[in-house]
């Protein structure tokens, strides 16, 4: 009775100490308080049973009403009460039928795509709702084999299994689940549940050792966690303290030897836990130190105080990083990266490992973080079990990242994992679903390298060598069939795998015949036109073949190479000069001269064609400028005839865009709303480009005219000093009334607006664009964020103010044109599809960070959209599910966003060398290469250029350029006649 009383008396105090660790309790949360008291009751009874086993028969637990099974029953009740989401109420049979149909649909979908994460989660939820215990267990098992489960999924699973555990076999099954759970992620809550559940089995054989083993492993895993590690320390220490308190009443009845072996050793365990905890920097260390002082009968040793003070200093160093994590929002990747950098500088391996694990809990789908973590373990710790475990977890979290699979295979080879396991891992990588064809080439190359290193090439033939050759054959077939069918490309245009196979056959197997066959296959796959491919083959023949095959390869290269034929010819002549006979030399010279002459002729024709096209384009541009000038002069002449007074400075001052080679509707003019200083008529002054009224309007129209004159702007010169504080606003509605007053409130949210200059036509109509000048540069930069903002149904374009006459290549495009693996491109959408409707469809497959419907300048949809997901995994899953989906009778196409590269047109100015003729270029008109863009000049009258054209992929041999060639004299009619008579 004394023991039980002591245990019960210690309950309130112990509860107050470890309550926050078992579950954070807020004021008024009575359910959590009851649950905590229930758990403490379980701990007290289980510890009492353990004390009986540890101390001996001096105390009878049955007399106190304590049995070995009490811990199991109470913990099962506590776990069931905690995990139970509530009693399910079945109101309608239709609801059950609906759930069954949904379950069948999800099971069918998983049979098609087993890597659908969200489908797994939904299936488990519905099966659990239906009470299908066997099916939900199987569903969870299948999901855990493919994906690592989150803390919430594991705790739900564990609580369900604990509530159903009835005997020792069930308990062992729960232990196995806990072991799997702690391997997926480092989660303090799961470790705490594990420790508490093991306390329930303390009455079984080896139960006490099991509890201590679990808590010690928990401390090794999360004991350094500054915010959550305290819960593990407190729970472990309270467990050992409860044993001490239960044994204290009978300690006086024991012999000195038995007391030292039992009670004193148990007391030392508690002291040791206090000392170990106080040496670790944790939050709320001061309370732990005060508790130790109160609990210990002796003064705290000086060494413990010293370790405690040192830990406090370390805590202050870590506190800024912990506070940054607390203040930031999940997933807090940048904060974790800074924390990792700090820990790497400190260099404590245990803390580095822990901060990586903490970061991965919230950023498990970030491949770069896994790569950095595994690289640290590979190069620094080099612990086999730890390294392989992290690599395995990495590929389970990010199976679409080929770099993680390659690193995993290398790590398995580094730690001498058996070949069967490596092959199984490689097969899993092939079925992971990479999003690029080149990824498959990389994983095949990694596996082939592994097999090559297993071969003993000292033997003429071996099982490993045959396996390597068969794997090379399989790799080529896989790329040709599987990869090309999916991506419309093999991913290996240069035949890297085949090249490596040829090198292995030549250098390691001395089988040049096989190597030559492989190189012939390489050349027939479109690589014969590249000089570097022929030179690679030539070097291989040079090292492991004979001179005859070297000469044969170079002769073929001279005939086939189109990118750098001069280089191949030079190599052939060098070889013949060194080793060939006179006959060989003559043949080589003849072939190279013939080939180079043909190449130069082809280049000359191409250059002439390009020059003609360039000249035609420039002539058309000049003609367009003349037509515009004539139209402008004609309009001025008509106004002068009507009695208008022309502006003196209209023909002299230069406006923006006057000399731009664009259509008149696209030219920009810079005007402002201030009247000229030399006009004395005030508001009655004539606007720029408009005539002054001769007769006086009636008074009823003067007010209307005054209002319209406020919109009239006088032309001003471009002030380059104000570019940094000015933005150009376009694509505004032409019907926008009073643009200045309507736009000013919008742009004043960015900063103080100095002036808004809307642009009007000569008739006084708003042209849809304006200039907004701010007081400072910061406001102008912030105004750029208003780009694409809707203004009366049209997307407003906001771009920097740049003089296009000085920067003709300046363009503003806000979106990436490179491959974005987390973003989708959707085409074929119905024009009536709204952003909200598409978002509802897309968010089923993951978290949608951004969605953009592509529109034209009028704001009308084009049936295209870009959808940005949170990570690559969600994007790849969405592609598999949405591609080919029907939306409003439209079949959409979905792919990873990878816009094709656009070649920028070359400037005409860059085509003219100083003092020389034009360099050829490819320029087409506004409608492309049409039939009307033909040269009408007879060939006999075309003057050939004296400058040698550039090579296709390199400089041509230099040629002398004379002044006569650069400045040819003009030809008279007689000269033309002579040319024709010569023909």
């Amino acid at each position: 009775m004394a023991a039980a009383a002591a245990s019960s008396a210690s309950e309130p105090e112990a509860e107050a100490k470890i309550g926050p660790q078992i579950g954070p309790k807020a004021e008024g949360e009575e359910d959590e308080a009851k649950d905590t008291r229930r758990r403490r009751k379980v701990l007290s009874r289980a510890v009492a049973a353990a004390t009986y086993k540890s101390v001996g028969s001096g105390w009878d637990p049955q007399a106190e009403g304590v049995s070995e099974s009490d811990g199991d029953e109470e913990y099962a009740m506590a776990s069931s009460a905690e995990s139970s989401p509530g009693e399910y109420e079945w109101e309608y049979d239709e609801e059950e039928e609906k759930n069954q149909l949904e379950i069948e649909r999800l099971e069918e979908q998983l049979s098609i795509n087993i890597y659908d994460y969200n489908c797994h989660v939904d299936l488990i939820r519905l099966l659990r709702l239906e009470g299908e215990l066997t099916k939900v267990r199987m569903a969870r098992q299948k999901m855990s084999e493919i994906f690592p489960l989150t803390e919430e999924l594991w705790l739900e699973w564990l609580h369900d299994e604990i509530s159903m555990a009835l005997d020792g076999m069930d308990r062992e099954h729960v232990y196995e689940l806990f072991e799997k759970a702690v391997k997926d992620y480092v989660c303090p809550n799961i470790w705490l549940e594990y420790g508490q559940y093991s306390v329930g089995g303390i009455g079984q054989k080896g139960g006490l050792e099991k509890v201590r083993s679990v808590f010690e492993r928990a401390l090794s895993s999360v004991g350094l966690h500054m915010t959550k590690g305290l819960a593990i320390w407190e729970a472990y220490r309270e467990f050992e303290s409860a044993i001490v308190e239960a044994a204290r009443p009978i300690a006086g009845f024991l012999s000195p030897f038995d007391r030292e072996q039992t009670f004193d050793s148990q007391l030392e365990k508690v002291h040791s836990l206090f000392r170990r905890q106080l040496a670790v920097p944790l939050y709320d260390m001061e309370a732990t130190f005060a508790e130790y002082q109160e609990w210990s009968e002796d003064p705290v040793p000086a060494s413990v105080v010293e370790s405690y003070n040192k830990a406090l200093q370390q805590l202050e160093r870590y506190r800024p990083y912990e506070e940054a994590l607390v203040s930031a929002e999940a997933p807090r990747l940048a904060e974790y990266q800074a924390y990792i950098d700090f820990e790497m500088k400190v260099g404590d391996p245990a803390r580095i490992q822990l901060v990586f694990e903490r970061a991965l809990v919230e950023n498990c789908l970030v491949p770069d973080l896994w790569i950095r973590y595994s690289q640290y373990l590979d190069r620094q710790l080099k612990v086999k079990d730890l390294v392989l475990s992290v690599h395995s977890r990495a590929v389970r979290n990010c199976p679409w990242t080929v770099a993680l699979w390659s690193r995993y295979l290398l790590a398995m080879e580094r730690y001498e994992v058996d070949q069967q396991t490596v092959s199984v891992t490689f097969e899993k990588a092939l079925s992971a679903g990479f999003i690029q064809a080149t990824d498959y080439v990389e994983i095949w190359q990694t596996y082939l390298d592994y097999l090559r290193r297993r071969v003993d090439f000292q033997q003429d033939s071996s099982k490993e060598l045959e396996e390597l050759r068969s794997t090379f054959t399989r790799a080529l077939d896989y790329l040709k069939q599987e990869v090309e069918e999916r991506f419309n490309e093999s991913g290996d245009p240069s035949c890297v795998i085949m090249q490596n196979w040829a090198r292995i056959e030549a250098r390691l197997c001395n089988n040049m015949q096989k190597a030559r066959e492989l190189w012939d296959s390489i050349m027939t796959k479109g690589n014969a036109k590249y000089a570097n491919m022929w030179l690679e083959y030539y070097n291989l023949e040079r090292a492991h073949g004979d001179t005859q095959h070297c000469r044969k390869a170079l002769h073929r290269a001279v005939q086939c190479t189109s990118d750098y034929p001069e280089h191949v010819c030079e190599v052939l002549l060098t070889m013949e000069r060194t080793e060939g006979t006179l006959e060989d030399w003559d043949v080589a010279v003849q072939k190279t001269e013939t080939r180079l002459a043909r190449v130069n002729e082809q280049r000359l024709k191409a250059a002439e064609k390009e020059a003609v096209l360039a000249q035609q384009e420039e002539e058309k541009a000049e003609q367009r400028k003349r037509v515009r000038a004539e139209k402008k002069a004609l309009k001025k002449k008509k106004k002068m005839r009507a009695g208008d007074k022309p502006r003196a400075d209209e023909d002299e001052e230069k406006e923006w865009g006057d000399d731009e080679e664009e259509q008149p509707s696209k030219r920009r003019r810079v005007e402002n709303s201030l009247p000229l200083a030399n006009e004395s008529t005030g508001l009655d002054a004539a606007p720029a480009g408009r005539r002054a009224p001769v007769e006086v309007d009636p008074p009823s129209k003067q007010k209307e005219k005054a209002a319209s004159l406020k919109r009239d702007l006088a032309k001003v010169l471009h002030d380059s000093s104000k570019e940094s504080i000015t933005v150009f606003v376009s694509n505004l509605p032409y019907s926008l009334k009073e643009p200045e007053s309507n736009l000013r409130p919008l742009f004043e949210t960015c900063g103080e607006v100095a002036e808004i200059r809307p642009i009007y036509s000569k008739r006084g109509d708003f042209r849809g664009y304006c200039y907004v000048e701010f007081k400072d540069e910061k406001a102008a930069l912030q105004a750029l964020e208003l780009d694409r903002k809707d203004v009366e149904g049209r997307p407003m374009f906001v771009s920097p103010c740049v003089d296009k006459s000085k920067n003709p290549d300046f363009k503003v495009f806000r979106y990436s044109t490179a491959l974005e693996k987390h973003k989708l491109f959707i085409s074929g959408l119905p024009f009536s599809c709204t952003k909200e409707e598409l978002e509802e469809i897309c968010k089923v497959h993951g978290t949608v960070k951004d969605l953009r419907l592509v529109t034209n300048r009028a704001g009308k949809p084009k049936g295209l959209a870009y959808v940005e997901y949170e990570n690559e995994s969600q994007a790849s899953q969405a592609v598999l599910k949405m591609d080919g989906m029907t939306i409003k009778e439209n079949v959409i196409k979905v792919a990873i966003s990878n816009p094709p590269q656009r070649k920028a047109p070359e400037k005409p100015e860059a085509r003219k060398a100083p003092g020389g003729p034009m360099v050829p270029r490819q320029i087409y008109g506004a409608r492309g290469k049409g039939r009307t863009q033909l040269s009408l000049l007879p060939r006999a009258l075309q003057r050939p250029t004296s400058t040698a054209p550039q090579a296709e992929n390199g400089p041509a041999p230099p040629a002398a350029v004379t002044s006569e060639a650069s400045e040819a004299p003009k030809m008279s009619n007689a000269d033309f006649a002579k040319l024709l008579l010569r023909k």
Side-chain angles (χ1 to χ4, degrees), residues 665-774:
S665 61
K666 297 183 179 179
R667 291 179 302 185
R668 300 179 180 177
R669 300 178 181 272
V670 178
E671 308 174 12
N672 62 22
S673 59
L674 298 178
L676 294 179
N678 58 356
E679 297 194 21
S680 59
T681 56
L683 292 176
D684 295 332
R690 301 178 65 184
R691 61 183 183 182
V694 179
E695 62 267 24
V696 179
D697 291 331
S700 60
K701 295 185 178 181
Q702 290 183 0
K703 198 169 187 180
E704 180 181 353
K705 181 172 292 188
S708 64
L709 289 176
K710 292 181 181 179
R711 298 196 303 257
D712 298 332
L713 304 172
K715 300 177 183 178
V716 296
L717 294 175
H718 171 53
D719 188 356
S720 59
S721 63
K722 294 185 178 180
E723 286 183 353
S724 60
I725 59 173
T726 306
V727 295
F728 176 68
V729 184
S730 60
N731 202 45
L732 294 169
Y734 295 136
S735 60
L736 185 64
K737 297 181 180 180
E738 297 294 335
E740 183 176 1
S741 59
N742 288 330
L743 295 177
R744 183 174 291 274
L746 180 62
F747 284 97
E748 283 182 344
T749 60
C750 305
E752 186 178 356
V753 177
E755 184 181 8
I756 296 180
R757 298 193 296 273
I759 308 304
Y760 294 91
S761 66
K762 296 185 181 298
R763 295 180 300 176
D765 299 327
F766 180 52
R767 300 186 62 180
Y769 60 93
C770 67
Y771 295 87
V772 180
E773 181 182 329
F774 292 90

Side-chain angles (χ1 to χ4, degrees), residues 572-592:
L572 174 60
L573 293 176
T574 301
M575 189 194 77
E576 299 298 358
R577 180 177 286 110
T578 306
E579 303 178 13
T581 63
L582 178 59
E583 182 180 358
D584 295 333
W585 171 262
D586 291 340
V587 172
V589 170
Q590 181 181 358
K591 283 194 174 184
T592 55

Side-chain angles (χ1 to χ4, degrees), residues 429-446:
L430 285 182
S431 61
F434 301 130
I435 60 178
Q436 294 185 100
T438 53
D439 293 345
Y440 288 94
V441 177
E442 182 177 346
I443 195 65
W444 271 110
Q445 190 60 59
T446 303

